[in-house]
Amino acid sequence: MTTNINKLYYAVLKYIPSAIRMETINVGIAVHYPVKKYSHFFKTTNMRRVATFDDEYNKSFFSMVMDSLEYDLNYNLDEDIETLKLGFSDESDEGRFNNISEPDFLSRKISYLTNEFRFSSVQSINISDKDWSSVIEDLKSTFLYYDKPKNKRITKDKVRRLLSKQVRSYNFSKDRIRANPELPNDLGGMDKYDFQIDKTLLRSMTFDYKRKDNLTTELKVILYDLNNIKPKNDISAVFLISNELENPEDKKTYDNFLLIAQKIAKERNYKVDLVQLDQLKDKLDKEINLEAK
């Protein structure tokens, strides 16, 4: 039996209180599944985190933006319409979702946001009808990571599966992409990555560890593996797919790790960067030609 594979689109909403510092946190995710005529905006429920991130944020304005996005994007579930409280007339709904089946529906809906609230570029994922709702839950868990208690947060394995679905949605020819590539290391073993696309390696990782020792161990392993990439491997870039950071201590670890990783990469004539999943397409666009066959 053949399983139909269709594209699901998503974009992550970032809150950026300072245009100078450009520090961000994720505060929502919009998803669109044209085949089911489904669109929805999921907003953060962790307002304490928003207040900690920006203790001067305007609560009323923030809520207004969230409600407006629900109005613009929530479609095809009865409860979506019933929870809208913006006071628009029934006449204003007419025609708002006429293009719900079109691939560019989401990009058109979110193009107007600027300043403190900005959506990432629209990403696509290849999914089947049987798992579309579970994939949406995984996307929510990935990008609204801190909305859930620690024991219910998404695992690195699920993030790896999302990475796989997203990469496969780019429809690379078979000669351009390799799953689970391995590079030999100096100890006689093999260093494993998730994908190689042309000369770019992708590898999932996480900074979310309950114990600092475990985090330090993973970062050391990755640095060792980066150090084993040689000119003969013909690698131009390594993208480490990481989760969003929660606290200043994580940020310090993140910055120090990236500095060391970039120093290693520069000495070996390739580039390395930490990339969130919603940034991957933009990063790949700059590194390789996504449209090439």
Side-chain angles (χ1 to χ4, degrees):
M1 181 177 177
T2 302
T3 301
N4 290 329
I5 301 297
N6 303 297
K7 283 193 186 322
L8 179 143
Y9 300 89
Y10 76 90
V12 179
L13 182 64
K14 314 280 186 179
Y15 178 53
I16 314 170
S18 171
I20 297 174
R21 296 195 308 272
M22 288 301 290
E23 296 173 341
T24 72
I25 60 169
N26 297 341
V27 294
I29 178 171
V31 296
H32 172 222
Y33 192 36
V35 170
K36 293 289 187 181
K37 295 184 178 180
Y38 174 85
S39 173
H40 197 98
F41 174 69
F42 299 95
K43 63 186 178 183
T44 182
T45 58
N46 192 343
M47 297 310 299
R48 183 170 60 181
R49 184 168 183 249
V50 176
T52 300
F53 179 71
D54 177 20
D55 59 8
E56 296 181 342
Y57 92 106
N58 185 320
K59 184 177 180 180
S60 297
F61 178 68
F62 192 100
S63 296
M64 183 188 73
V65 172
M66 298 294 109
D67 289 345
S68 177
L69 286 168
E70 286 183 312
Y71 175 78
D72 283 342
L73 292 165
N74 288 8
Y75 184 75
N76 206 16
L77 287 179
D78 291 341
E79 59 266 31
D80 293 343
I81 304 302
E82 292 171 0
T83 57
L84 299 180
K85 301 175 182 178
L86 296 183
F88 293 105
S89 66
D90 292 339
E91 290 79 7
S92 65
D93 286 337
E94 187 176 355
R96 288 193 303 116
F97 295 99
N98 282 350
N99 64 335
I100 188 71
S101 298
E102 300 298 321
D104 65 348
F105 167 82
L106 185 55
S107 59
R108 290 188 180 192
K109 284 286 189 180
I110 66 176
S111 61
Y112 68 91
L113 276 185
T114 57
N115 301 324
E116 297 105 317
F117 297 91
R118 300 181 194 176
F119 273 103
S120 64
S121 60
V122 176
Q123 309 289 317
S124 64
I125 290 185
N126 277 0
I127 63 171
S128 64
D129 276 348
K130 67 179 182 180
D131 68 354
W132 73 283
S133 57
S134 64
V135 169
I136 289 175
E137 287 301 312
D138 286 346
L139 286 171
K140 286 168 57 183
S141 297
T142 298
F143 295 107
L144 299 178
Y145 187 80
Y146 299 105
D147 279 17
K148 292 189 175 182
K150 288 186 176 181
N151 63 342
K152 294 185 178 180
R153 290 176 182 170
I154 196 167
T155 64
K156 188 168 70 172
D157 286 341
K158 285 189 176 182
V159 174
R160 186 179 289 114
R161 287 198 290 272
L162 283 176
L163 170 63
S164 177
K165 291 176 183 293
Q166 184 160 312
V167 167
R168 296 183 190 284
S169 76
Y170 301 149
N171 296 323
F172 291 111
S173 58
K174 291 183 179 180
D175 61 320
R176 297 188 66 196
I177 184 169
R178 260 202 310 153
N180 305 312
E182 297 182 341
L183 299 181
N185 60 44
D186 293 337
L187 297 178
M190 305 296 287
D191 300 331
K192 298 181 180 180
Y193 293 83
D194 295 315
F195 287 97
Q196 181 175 341
I197 305 169
D198 294 344
K199 298 181 180 182
T200 298
L201 292 171
L202 306 181
R203 177 167 173 167
S204 304
M205 62 171 295
T206 182
F207 281 88
D208 186 56
Y209 277 91
K210 295 180 177 66
R211 293 182 55 192
K212 197 73 174 179
D213 289 347
N214 292 343
L215 172 59
T216 301
T217 298
E218 178 175 3
L219 298 184
K220 284 181 178 178
V221 168
I222 293 174
L223 291 174
Y224 175 82
D225 291 351
L226 293 175
N227 198 53
N228 274 295
I229 296 176
K230 308 290 196 302
K232 65 181 180 181
N233 298 130
D234 200 22
I235 299 299
S236 63
V238 179
F239 292 155
L240 303 171
I241 314 302
S242 66
N243 59 297
E244 189 187 21
L245 302 178
E246 179 175 23
N247 57 55
E249 186 177 351
D250 288 339
K251 182 67 166 60
K252 183 178 179 181
T253 303
Y254 175 106
D255 290 340
N256 289 340
F257 169 76
L258 184 57
L259 281 174
I260 298 170
Q262 289 178 335
K263 181 180 179 182
I264 291 172
K266 185 177 180 180
E267 291 173 350
R268 284 150 184 78
N269 198 32
Y270 66 90
K271 295 179 289 186
V272 66
D273 202 359
L274 286 160
V275 181
Q276 290 186 34
L277 194 60
D278 63 311
Q279 303 166 339
L280 180 58
K281 185 177 181 182
D282 292 339
K283 293 285 186 179
L284 285 174
D285 270 334
K286 293 178 181 179
E287 186 63 31
I288 64 177
N289 183 0
L290 285 177
E291 301 302 322
K293 301 297 182 183

